[in-house]
Amino acid sequence: PLNIRPLWFSEIADFQSRFLVEKYPNVPNLGDMNNIPQMIKEGNVEIPDMLCGGTPCQAFSLAGWRNGINDDRGQLTLKYIDIVNAIDNKRLTQGNSRVVFFWENVEGALTDKTNAFGCFLSGLIGLKEPLVSPLGEIKNTKNKNGSITTIYPKWANAGVIYGKDRNIAWRVLDAKYFGLPQQRRRVYVLGGGK
């Protein structure tokens, strides 16, 4: 009803892949998202106007180990940036505007010990170094080998960044306020051009 046509999906789990085939038989599943930037560069997939998706939450979930980008699943958050950049490179070469992207994950992404959210935001806006939240804590401790600086990230539940390449905004929303009969807090990131 919104006149949105999916061009492709990226799913590796068996049940979810079968579900997509059942509901969207004419939409290709590209499988492992690690391969998508190269597929885009080679022109093997159609370039979207909007990229909508999330990356695995296990690396950030309060119920998990919370290893962030030190977890292979958490690394996919950074791969999402590669996909956005590959799409943008194609779109800009064709004279089009940057892709609009929408990403979601668990609220724990805002506080994981690897500052994955700071790395994610930084990559999306076009910076080389991770952003550090002004709400986070930096602690310096000394041991026999010298001084150690530890960053304890904590990002606000909502924010906007006007970046070098893109502007982005994020907000934590709870599904219980949108018709779902359970508490389900997620962080949503929306971005695109300037």
Side-chain angles (χ1 to χ4, degrees), residues 93-160:
T93 300
Q94 297 168 351
N96 295 318
S97 61
R98 292 184 181 273
V99 68
V100 172
F101 59 86
F102 178 76
W103 177 86
E104 78 69 44
N105 212 301
V106 294
E107 187 179 23
L110 299 174
T111 57
D112 94 281
K113 59 190 171 190
T114 65
N115 191 28
F117 198 67
C119 296
F120 184 60
L121 295 176
S122 177
L124 290 171
I125 65 171
L127 299 179
K128 301 282 185 218
E129 296 297 318
L131 293 172
V132 177
S133 170
L135 302 176
E137 294 181 45
I138 299 174
K139 294 186 179 177
N140 292 310
T141 55
K142 293 189 184 241
N143 65 15
K144 63 183 178 183
N145 297 324
S147 180
I148 298 172
T149 301
T150 307
I151 299 172
Y152 297 93
K154 181 180 189 308
W155 288 89
N157 285 345
V160 173

Side-chain angles (χ1 to χ4, degrees), residues 35-138:
N35 303 323
I36 294 175
Q38 189 61 36
M39 296 169 85
I40 292 168
K41 287 176 190 169
E42 294 171 355
N44 296 330
V45 295
E46 203 171 339
I47 305 302
D49 296 322
M50 179 179 191
L51 178 66
C52 181
T55 51
C57 66
Q58 296 91 334
F60 310 111
S61 174
L62 298 176
W65 292 100
R66 305 211 58 216
N67 286 328
I69 55 177
N70 292 333
D71 182 308
D72 289 343
R73 297 164 295 188
Q75 277 288 315
L76 294 176
T77 303
L78 304 180
K79 187 53 67 175
Y80 188 92
I81 299 167
D82 294 342
I83 295 169
V84 170
N85 287 336
I87 293 170
D88 272 358
N89 288 338
K90 283 286 188 180
R91 289 182 59 82
L92 293 172
T93 300
Q94 297 168 351
N96 295 318
S97 61
R98 292 184 181 273
V99 68
V100 172
F101 59 86
F102 178 76
W103 177 86
E104 78 69 44
N105 212 301
V106 294
E107 187 179 23
L110 299 174
T111 57
D112 94 281
K113 59 190 171 190
T114 65
N115 191 28
F117 198 67
C119 296
F120 184 60
L121 295 176
S122 177
L124 290 171
I125 65 171
L127 299 179
K128 301 282 185 218
E129 296 297 318
L131 293 172
V132 177
S133 170
L135 302 176
E137 294 181 45
I138 299 174

